[in-house]
Amino acid sequence: MDKPLPLATPTSQPFWEGLRAGEVRLQRCAECDRWIFYPRSNCTGCLSNDLVWSTVSGLGQIHAFTISRIPTAAFFADEVPQKLAVIELDEGVRLTTTLVDIEEDAIEIGMRVEPVFEATEGGEGVLLRYRPTA
Ligand SMILES: [Zn+2]
């Protein structure tokens, strides 16, 4: 079963292009310096539309996680148990991802993590996963 893939929009295109280049790119507001994720057209703080893309380290920590023993969708049946997590990047924004390269018993809130750029099965895209820092 083919897994659903994210569809880039004109607003999110730089984020997906960054992943294909092995980089995490976030928007930052030129008016108030706030970091923004997910990609959007206006600042979440001051509503300015003067948002600038920047490459960041992608480093952060586990803010929350859960182990799903029932697939969240039929497409993901081969990934059970799914190690789902919310990562807080060092810039302060949070994103939802899947943890890799870690046993479920070792996952801890606050654990430092780094990005993993995972090519999709068909090779046409790259997804952002996370693993503990080396
Ligand atoms: Zn702003």
Side-chain angles (χ1 to χ4, degrees), residues 29 31-32 43 45-46 48:
C29 178
E31 293 293 324
C32 73
C43 175
C46 72
S48 168

Side-chain angles (χ1 to χ4, degrees), residues 11-71:
T11 301
S12 69
Q13 185 73 25
F15 175 77
W16 300 110
E17 287 175 359
L19 295 187
R20 283 196 291 276
E23 296 179 349
V24 176
R25 296 176 185 166
L26 299 179
Q27 291 171 300
R28 190 170 199 179
C29 178
E31 293 293 324
C32 73
D33 283 342
R34 178 185 296 250
W35 290 99
I36 294 159
F37 188 85
Y38 57 90
R40 53 189 102 200
S41 57
N42 293 78
C43 175
T44 54
C46 72
L47 299 180
S48 168
N49 63 5
D50 191 2
L51 305 182
V52 179
W53 286 94
S54 299
T55 299
V56 299
S57 69
L59 296 172
Q61 63 180 339
I62 296 175
H63 174 76
F65 72 94
T66 191
I67 308 295
S68 179
R69 300 182 195 289
I70 299 171

